[in-house]
Amino acid sequence: MKNTAEFHLRSPVLFKLAGIGLALCLLAIAALGAYLLWTEIIPLYGRIYRDAPVVETPLKSFFVVAAIPFAPVMALGCLIAARTGQKFDPPQKSWLYALQLRSMQLTVALMVVAALMIALTTATLSAKGYWSCPKLRISGSGWQMFWVNDERICFTPDSYINDNWPCKIVGKQNICVQVDGR
């Protein structure tokens, strides 16, 4: 019968590859969070400021942004673990431990801030005279809400162009609503 300790040995090569793979995934998540912040969150407030006829609130994007401070630090931990072949567990008095702790604290704080931002954005839209229009929602997009400030714009689109601009075929003409408020 084999010794049970032999079953618990891990392959050093597999451990290093897993660390590198996880680090790459975490960096991709951080890049996605930065991309969503730049392309979806910041333009959202520009549309509210300009009183755009349609405002799209991508609710998931608020929470992905919370991963921005967490992912690079954890990627660094994965790379250190891959290099050393041991799990990343810095001593409590080291700067790596402090960096890890602060990034986790900031991530949790940003998750709370994300929920508050969603609530404040919803309250701001309501205060500015917008209301939710589920007809504009793209099929299968449950984490996306469209807010309108004109009842004529709340319709079931036949297609979408550009940055989710809704279009309706009227007669032989395809009419699209420019939703960016410009």
Side-chain angles (χ1 to χ4, degrees):
M1 187 159 171
K2 288 192 173 189
N3 186 356
T4 57
E6 290 180 32
F7 291 114
H8 298 291
L9 294 176
R10 67 173 182 247
S11 166
V13 173
L14 186 60
F15 182 77
K16 289 181 180 201
L17 287 175
I20 292 169
L22 187 57
L24 292 174
C25 289
L26 286 165
L27 290 174
I29 289 170
L32 175 66
Y35 172 78
L36 291 175
L37 178 66
W38 185 254
T39 62
E40 292 187 3
I41 304 297
I42 293 172
L44 164 70
Y45 294 109
R47 289 177 179 172
I48 293 172
Y49 177 75
R50 289 189 304 271
D51 291 322
V54 178
V55 175
E56 175 189 0
T57 55
L59 302 176
K60 253 195 267 190
S61 299
F62 284 97
F63 291 103
V64 175
V65 169
I68 293 173
F70 179 70
V73 172
M74 293 313 297
L76 176 66
C78 289
L79 291 174
I80 290 171
R83 185 174 183 275
T84 63
Q86 298 176 357
K87 71 178 185 171
F88 179 69
D89 190 16
Q92 284 191 342
K93 301 284 183 188
S94 71
W95 68 273
L96 277 175
Y97 180 82
L99 181 66
Q100 173 184 310
L101 179 65
R102 297 296 176 257
S103 82
M104 285 188 210
Q105 289 171 338
L106 185 58
T107 298
V108 171
L110 282 176
M111 291 173 85
V112 172
V113 167
L116 288 173
M117 283 178 65
I118 290 171
L120 289 174
T121 301
T122 301
T124 301
L125 286 165
S126 294
K128 290 190 85 164
Y130 286 87
W131 62 91
S132 177
C133 177
K135 292 180 188 178
L136 286 174
R137 185 178 297 155
I138 298 168
S139 178
S141 60
W143 286 90
Q144 177 185 44
M145 289 182 65
F146 286 93
W147 297 78
V148 298
N149 61 4
D150 184 350
E151 64 189 40
R152 296 173 296 168
I153 298 174
C154 189
F155 60 91
T156 304
D158 295 319
S159 63
Y160 296 89
I161 63 166
N162 296 341
D163 189 23
N164 293 335
W165 296 4
C167 299
K168 186 82 172 165
I169 296 174
V170 179
K172 293 183 179 183
Q173 202 172 19
N174 192 22
I175 300 173
C176 299
V177 177
Q178 183 176 352
V179 300
D180 62 0
R182 294 185 180 171

